Amino acid sequence: DHVLALLPFEPEAHVRLGGPPCSYVGHPLIERLGWVRDLDPAPLAERLKLDRSKPVLVVLPGSRTSEVSRLMQPFGKAITRLRARGLLPEVIIPTVPYLRERIQQALADWQVPAQLVEGDEDKFRAFKMARAALAASGTVTLELGLVGTPMVVAYRVDAVAARLRFLVKVPSVVLANLVLGENVFPEFIQEACVPEDLADAVAALLTDTPERRRQLAGLARIPERLRLAAASPSEAAAEIVLRLAHESRTSRQS
């Protein structure tokens, strides 16, 4: 009867495609903004014994085994290229238990050290410390946007899915770009996901560059794009559900 949209561009798509009524209620991530802002990254920095003179690079190879399998190698080679240029970031990889072993196996082929962390608190602490992120496309780009972490985004799919790219009509596959309505965050998809280009894009974010300043300006707008002025996502969604329930009950009674 009604769709509750988490992303601001979705209602217009439903209208254009003749879908059911659709209301944007805001993204639930925004309800964590206060918690994220109050989170102190210092305990994680101390536990990992980070060199404070080096920038932190958060690496996010995805939440699925297939994503990790396709992205860990180009990500590792990109960071090796950064190191060859004299850029020596402290690398942190937030992960989850079911992917930890797979990531550790892939790290055996890396030529640079990386530290793994688990859990939401340490993930967001890492985001807050990070000078930049190298991330798989997905919801994590909105999480990075919530914190304000500049990012380079990449993705690879299998050969069968790659042949269907002609069906994709959106200007970007990065949710943070779609939320902003412009391509602020560089994306490297399929054959474009190569270490040389990834390294160039990350390097541009590790120092004060026009690319970094443009991203920071875009990141500052994301929290407002993920919320409604009048209510939280939970409240807005509840109001619509209650209204529909009341209308349905009234209709049955009449």
Side-chain angles (χ1 to χ4, degrees):
D1 296 311
H2 204 99
V3 175
L4 303 179
L6 306 184
L7 299 168
F9 54 83
E10 291 178 306
E12 188 276 331
H14 278 264
V15 171
R16 186 177 72 253
L17 299 173
C22 178
S23 299
Y24 175 54
V25 297
H27 199 287
L29 272 176
I30 201 66
E31 296 184 12
R32 308 184 73 185
L33 184 59
W35 172 78
V36 168
R37 285 177 173 168
D38 292 340
L39 199 60
D40 183 6
L44 180 62
E46 294 170 5
R47 195 183 336 133
L48 298 182
K49 297 181 172 55
L50 299 178
D51 183 342
R52 300 299 182 91
S53 67
K54 297 179 180 179
V56 172
L57 176 66
V58 171
V59 175
L60 300 144
S63 58
R64 300 183 181 91
T65 301
S66 59
E67 294 170 338
V68 170
S69 299
R70 296 187 187 106
L71 293 176
M72 279 295 286
Q73 183 185 53
F75 282 9
K77 289 183 176 180
I79 298 168
T80 298
R81 288 178 176 272
L82 291 175
R83 193 172 191 176
R85 300 181 188 186
L87 298 170
L88 305 171
E90 293 273 17
V91 179
I92 302 175
I93 304 179
T95 187
V96 289
Y98 67 87
L99 287 175
R100 189 180 185 101
E101 184 177 354
R102 178 60 65 94
I103 290 175
Q104 286 175 325
Q105 290 171 352
L107 283 174
D109 295 327
W110 280 30
Q111 298 178 31
V112 292
Q115 300 195 66
L116 273 61
V117 297
E118 290 184 17
D120 261 10
E121 286 195 5
D122 279 353
K123 177 176 72 172
F124 280 98
R125 285 189 178 109
F127 290 179
K128 293 186 77 171
M129 288 190 295
R131 182 77 175 172
L134 178 56
S137 178
T139 304
V140 74
T141 65
L142 296 182
E143 293 178 334
L144 291 165
L146 195 69
V147 176
T149 308
M151 69 188 90
V152 172
V153 184
Y155 208 71
R156 282 182 175 176
V157 296
D158 60 50
V160 174
R163 294 193 194 101
L164 301 176
R165 277 192 297 174
F166 70 93
L167 296 173
V168 179
K169 304 300 183 183
V170 292
S172 173
V173 300
V174 179
L175 285 175
N177 281 337
L178 294 174
V179 164
L180 288 174
E182 60 178 304
N183 289 358
V184 174
F185 310 105
E187 56 190 279
F188 299 88
I189 310 302
Q190 211 59 15
E191 64 274 0
C193 179
V194 293
E196 298 88 344
D197 293 343
L198 294 175
D200 287 345
V202 172
L205 300 180
L206 295 179
T207 57
D208 185 21
T209 60
E211 292 88 350
R212 179 176 178 82
R213 291 193 291 272
R214 180 171 183 257
Q215 285 209 21
L216 291 174
L219 287 162
R221 292 160 43 209
I222 287 181
E224 291 306 313
R225 294 287 291 155
L226 292 179
R227 66 156 56 106
L228 294 176
S232 71
S234 298
E235 291 166 340
E239 287 177 6
I240 293 172
V241 172
L242 289 171
R243 175 174 57 79
L244 290 173
H246 175 72
E247 290 174 356
S248 176
R249 180 181 179 185
T250 302
S251 176
R252 288 198 304 273
Q253 289 176 341
S254 62

